[in-house]
Amino acid sequence: MSSTAPDTAPRGHIPGTRRPHLPTATAAPRHALRRAAPALAAYLAVRLAGLVFLAGWAHRRHHGVWPMLATQWDSRWYLGIADHGYAHVLGTAYDHNNLAFFPLYPLLVKAVAVLTPGTRASTGLALAWLASLFAAWGVFAVGDRLAGRRVGVLLTVLWAAYPVGLVQWMGYTESVFTAFAAWTLYAVLTERWLYAAAGSVLAGLTRPTGIAVAAAVTVTALLSLRTRRSPRALAAALLAPLGWCAYVGWVGVRLHRWDGYFAVQRMWHNELDGGAETLHWLRHLFGQVSRPELFLVVVSLTMLASVVLFGLAAADRQPLPLLVFSAVLLLIVVASGGVYFPRARFLLPGFPLLLPVAGYLARASARVRVLALTAAVAGSAYCGAYMLLVWPSAP
């Protein structure tokens, strides 16, 4: 996929991007939605296929689908925050301090549940599903802007068919965060700096990896000032990290120590160790165990593939904000000394890593495209159901 900008790039165009033949979200919302409709329909088809497969397998094992999607693992933590708020002390128990979870999603659940029927768990799940559609639209918009509609649709399908893509329809923050990340990156690509700053602040209030979105906005905005003075770009560079910094600072004030948030992360065994823990697990799974657990193999292969895809994205000269976002996201996940098994999920928002694959499939024959996408969708459906019904720990 070539992404070299023409010499006659118009004013405001970021080098390294190619304008599509038709506008996407720059046009009226109705036209933008109509243009994205094939991608959104494909997204729904992929995720519904995974849900149907999960429901069939769960029925045979006498499990309910709704509780698994809405109330287990991290969903339980977010619902607890919505119900009872945050802890006031650090405590001494490992893996038991809810200050590790960022506040925007549980606050949304609490606020929206007041206005809607049903439980807060139902509200949280509905918000995740709705956010997944906005995320898919944002993923399409980025792909469409860089390489046209076909690549945008393929990128959306690949994101939907991520190995642990079922998490997109759970009461987790991945869909909300990806929606903010995708539309923030789109705003940077189109130099809508204040929208980018707002999206970055919201992403920073949603997940710890919101700092990757902030880095993409700040770095790109500051570099743009070398060629053109823009008060909005400068404002975006300064405002982008405020969401993440605000929550980290608030935790410090709440716990009466400057490193309060990082102390909480240490209680979750979640410190950066330069990748030592990651290498330990890779050596263990592929060099010391005769029959490694399937889910851990999927997690490991997803991480390794992400590193390779980042190299391809860099070689393909992806636009700077996408590369910065992917690099920081990868660094946080790979260099973390925390728990290993959720790392494929942590990489779920890194949809720009899939752009080289989408570009290849756009150029491939129809037969190759159908076979590759069918395998991806089937693999995602199986892995998602396995993740919830067989794997004994959190996704």
Side-chain angles (χ1 to χ4, degrees):
M1 178 180 65
S2 175
S3 57
T4 304
D7 294 336
T8 58
R11 180 180 177 86
H13 180 60
I14 294 178
T17 67
R18 182 172 70 82
R19 292 189 183 276
H21 296 298
L22 293 172
T24 53
T26 58
R30 182 179 300 178
H31 172 77
L33 182 58
R34 186 164 57 245
R35 183 167 177 82
L40 296 179
Y43 174 79
L44 286 172
V46 173
R47 292 279 27 101
L48 285 172
L51 187 61
V52 169
F53 186 84
L54 170 66
W57 194 346
H59 177 72
R60 291 195 297 272
R61 296 174 66 98
H62 307 289
H63 287 292
V65 172
W66 182 88
M68 291 188 293
L69 298 179
T71 64
Q72 293 186 0
W73 305 113
D74 284 15
S75 301
R76 187 179 304 163
W77 284 100
Y78 290 119
L79 293 173
I81 294 169
D83 289 337
H84 308 295
Y86 281 104
H88 290 272
V89 296
L90 181 62
T92 57
Y94 284 102
D95 303 345
H96 273 78
N97 194 307
N98 64 5
L99 288 165
F101 297 87
F102 275 50
L104 184 58
Y105 177 68
L107 289 177
L108 284 174
V109 170
K110 184 175 183 177
V112 176
V114 174
L115 307 174
T116 56
T119 64
R120 284 179 173 169
S122 299
T123 299
L125 190 58
L127 284 173
W129 286 30
L130 183 62
S132 75
L133 289 174
F134 278 98
W137 189 0
V139 170
F140 166 78
V142 171
D144 185 20
R145 177 167 183 85
L146 294 182
R149 194 179 195 184
R150 173 179 285 189
V151 170
V153 172
L154 289 170
L155 181 63
T156 307
V157 173
L158 290 171
W159 183 69
Y162 193 80
V164 294
L166 182 61
V167 172
Q168 297 164 10
W169 279 15
M170 294 177 65
Y172 277 44
T173 56
E174 271 69 23
S175 289
V176 177
F177 179 74
T178 305
F180 288 139
W183 284 110
T184 298
L185 291 172
Y186 183 84
V188 175
L189 292 173
T190 55
E191 293 193 321
R192 288 166 168 77
W193 294 115
L194 297 184
Y195 284 112
S200 178
V201 169
L202 293 172
L205 290 169
T206 305
R207 288 194 59 80
T209 45
I211 196 65
V213 181
V217 175
T218 297
V219 170
T220 309
L222 289 177
L223 289 178
S224 74
L225 296 174
R226 297 185 304 175
T227 56
R228 180 162 61 96
R229 293 182 180 179
S230 169
R232 293 188 176 189
L234 179 59
L238 298 175
L239 293 172
L242 290 188
W244 188 89
C245 292
Y247 181 67
V248 171
W250 179 81
V251 173
V253 172
R254 192 172 183 85
L255 296 181
H256 306 290
R257 51 187 295 176
W258 71 269
D259 66 337
Y261 175 76
F262 303 101
V264 171
Q265 288 295 338
R266 287 193 292 272
M267 297 299 291
W268 282 83
H269 311 277
N270 232 3
E271 297 177 279
L272 295 178
D273 65 359
E277 184 73 7
T278 301
L279 291 175
H280 166 76
W281 273 101
L282 291 175
R283 286 197 300 265
H284 176 72
L285 290 171
F286 297 119
Q288 301 173 7
V289 181
S290 58
R291 297 183 63 182
E293 164 61 47
L294 175 61
F295 186 71
L296 295 180
V297 172
V298 171
V299 170
S300 302
L301 293 178
T302 300
M303 278 201 301
L304 293 172
S306 297
V307 173
V308 173
L309 289 173
F310 179 77
L312 294 176
D316 202 29
R317 299 175 63 188
Q318 268 188 21
L320 180 64
L322 273 62
L323 288 176
V324 172
F325 170 68
S326 298
V328 176
L329 183 67
L330 265 175
L331 179 64
I332 293 172
V333 174
V334 174
S336 172
V339 288
Y340 187 78
F341 47 82
R343 298 193 187 193
R345 169 168 64 89
F346 295 162
L347 287 170
L348 179 64
F351 70 92
L353 296 170
L354 299 171
L355 268 168
V357 183
Y360 169 77
L361 291 177
R363 299 188 301 269
S365 66
R367 181 172 179 271
V368 169
R369 196 156 49 242
V370 169
L371 288 174
L373 293 179
T374 300
V377 172
S380 177
Y382 180 84
C383 183
Y386 185 96
M387 174 179 69
L388 293 187
L389 296 170
V390 179
W391 171 245
S393 192

